[in-house]
Amino acid sequence: MSPSPGDLVLDARDLHKTFATGRSGLRKSRVSAVDGVSLRLHAGESLGIVGESGCGKSTLARMLVGLERPDSGSIEIHGRDVTRVRGRDRRLLRRQVQMVFQDPYTSLDPRMSVLELIGEPLTVHKRVTGKTALTDRVAELLGLVNLAPELMHRYPHQFSGGQRQRIGIARALALDPEVLVCDEPVSALDMSVQAQVVNLLRDLQKRMNIALLFIAHDLSVVRHVSDRTAVMYLGRLAEVGDTPTVYDQPAHPYTQALLSAAPVVDRSRRRLADRIMLLGDPPSPADPPTGCRFHTRCRFARDRCAAEQPVARRLEDASDRTVACHFAEEAQATAPAVG
């Protein structure tokens, strides 16, 4: 049964993931890519995730779709933890979360036709029986992404980047997922086609009541796509809230700095008046700072920030958001902004 709008579909709690990077003396050195991240997705909702390179966005995405196993934490789909089930039950749950990859040039097997690429998950999961039914379903999926059904007999090299990404989206939709995870889905495309793919994803999300997790570097794209926005820094969530609130009234010092660095075409849109220059160099994920991971670059940092990791909390205002900062109210009140 399809979820109703607003139903909780995916609930990730306290996810941790580290990777071994080699040896440092007699010890194996490890990088903490994701450190205690929790997020929820409801049917028909879009959540954007932003942050600089190396903050853990892609690792988080890969855990949610099952390509990486978390070291600890849980990922529940409709209340069932997919990290604890096995066999057929795991496959059934995982089918409900699908991914659109960053690079359409490498995510499609060049030896397979479009019919084979989109039809493979349908065949593996036994969603259709018979060649005619398979062809009809692939034609339907191509129509969803605005590609002509007769193109199904062509191969990936015969398509443009934007068309390939549409094929990738059609393949991700083949199993009727309830969650679509998009990891930088337009960064490898020409500017002229980025808007087309973004608008297509937004339209499909609304029509099919899909929960959309959208990861991107382009803050303007995330603002256009997302109902809510999460800001990541060195494997942790700094701020999560409704997109207009996060963009127009950022409370975490890192969110303020990130938004101030973004180019703005529409000067009538409220934004930070002056670029906030961060102090020092970005810390290494292999040796993150104690306490708040952002304190070495933060203009509000005090002794408490180095000693005590801030807990994500709701601000005492009307906004429905959480901020992991000891001095978020002060940062929000003193942020230079223009109307």
Side-chain angles (χ1 to χ4, degrees):
M1 183 174 66
S2 299
S4 301
D7 285 354
L8 180 62
V9 178
L10 185 145
D11 187 5
R13 302 178 188 176
D14 198 25
L15 296 178
H16 293 258
K17 183 66 181 180
T18 61
F19 295 99
T21 59
R23 287 190 176 273
S24 178
L26 297 178
R27 283 181 162 186
K28 284 185 177 181
S29 58
R30 303 189 69 85
V31 170
S32 178
V34 175
D35 185 14
V37 170
S38 298
L39 57 84
R40 307 176 110 197
L41 269 172
H42 298 81
E45 177 189 37
S46 55
L47 172 66
I49 299 184
V50 298
E52 55 196 293
S53 297
C55 71
K57 303 186 301 293
S58 293
T59 300
L60 175 61
R62 291 175 64 84
M63 283 194 290
L64 294 178
V65 298
L67 295 176
E68 298 283 356
R69 183 179 291 275
D71 298 334
S72 61
S74 63
I75 302 172
E76 293 185 358
I77 300 174
H78 291 302
R80 297 193 64 189
D81 187 353
V82 295
T83 65
R84 297 183 182 276
V85 296
R86 295 291 182 270
R88 182 174 180 274
D89 287 341
R90 180 178 174 84
R91 288 194 300 272
L92 288 173
L93 288 172
R94 281 298 180 196
R95 192 173 70 190
Q96 295 171 350
V97 183
Q98 295 294 310
M99 190 168 189
V100 178
F101 294 90
Q102 177 177 0
D103 189 355
Y105 294 92
T106 59
S107 61
L108 301 178
D109 190 332
R111 297 166 298 181
M112 299 174 71
S113 69
V114 171
L115 174 61
E116 294 170 318
L117 286 165
I118 299 176
E120 184 178 42
L122 294 168
T123 303
V124 169
H125 289 272
K126 298 180 173 58
R127 296 299 298 273
V128 296
T129 55
K131 186 174 181 181
T132 300
L134 178 66
T135 302
D136 290 344
R137 178 57 177 157
V138 171
E140 179 185 359
L141 289 164
L142 287 174
L144 278 176
V145 298
N146 301 325
L147 288 176
E150 55 266 23
L151 298 176
M152 72 175 68
H153 300 293
R154 295 188 183 182
Y155 289 82
H157 73 272
Q158 297 175 287
F159 295 91
S160 66
Q163 289 174 320
R164 292 187 198 196
Q165 196 60 296
R166 289 170 185 267
I167 294 168
I169 294 170
R171 181 177 60 180
L173 295 175
L175 299 177
D176 296 317
E178 296 179 16
V179 180
L180 197 61
V181 177
C182 302
D183 185 11
E184 299 274 4
V186 297
S187 62
L189 305 179
D190 293 338
M191 290 295 293
S192 59
V193 297
Q194 284 187 9
Q196 298 174 19
V197 174
V198 167
N199 289 333
L200 172 65
L201 285 169
R202 192 65 164 151
D203 178 61
L204 289 170
Q205 179 216 357
K206 291 179 179 179
R207 277 198 288 159
M208 304 176 70
N209 195 34
I210 294 175
L212 183 68
L213 184 76
F214 192 93
I215 296 172
H217 280 95
D218 192 326
L219 296 173
S220 61
V221 171
V222 172
R223 179 164 192 155
H224 175 69
V225 169
S226 306
D227 302 312
R228 291 189 300 129
T229 297
V231 182
M232 284 191 74
Y233 183 78
L234 274 185
R236 295 177 181 166
L237 293 181
E239 184 167 358
V240 183
D242 293 339
T243 294
T245 303
V246 171
Y247 274 71
D248 294 338
Q249 302 171 31
H252 196 286
Y254 175 64
T255 308
Q256 295 174 358
L258 190 68
L259 292 173
S260 77
V264 174
V265 177
D266 183 3
R267 289 290 177 179
S268 66
R269 187 184 296 277
R270 185 182 187 276
R271 58 152 292 176
L272 297 180
D274 302 306
R275 181 171 181 181
I276 298 172
M277 302 301 294
L278 296 181
L279 306 173
D281 296 322
S284 168
D287 186 24
T290 59
C292 175
R293 294 191 171 183
F294 187 60
H295 83 264
T296 58
R297 306 170 76 189
C298 180
R299 65 192 190 281
F300 296 98
R302 297 169 195 170
D303 292 343
R304 180 185 178 188
C305 302
E308 181 184 342
Q309 178 182 332
V311 177
R313 59 189 175 88
R314 293 191 182 277
L315 297 187
E316 295 180 1
D317 60 14
S319 65
D320 182 20
R321 60 162 157 189
T322 57
V323 182
C325 176
H326 296 305
F327 305 104
E329 287 83 1
E330 178 183 344
Q332 183 182 24
T334 59
V338 294

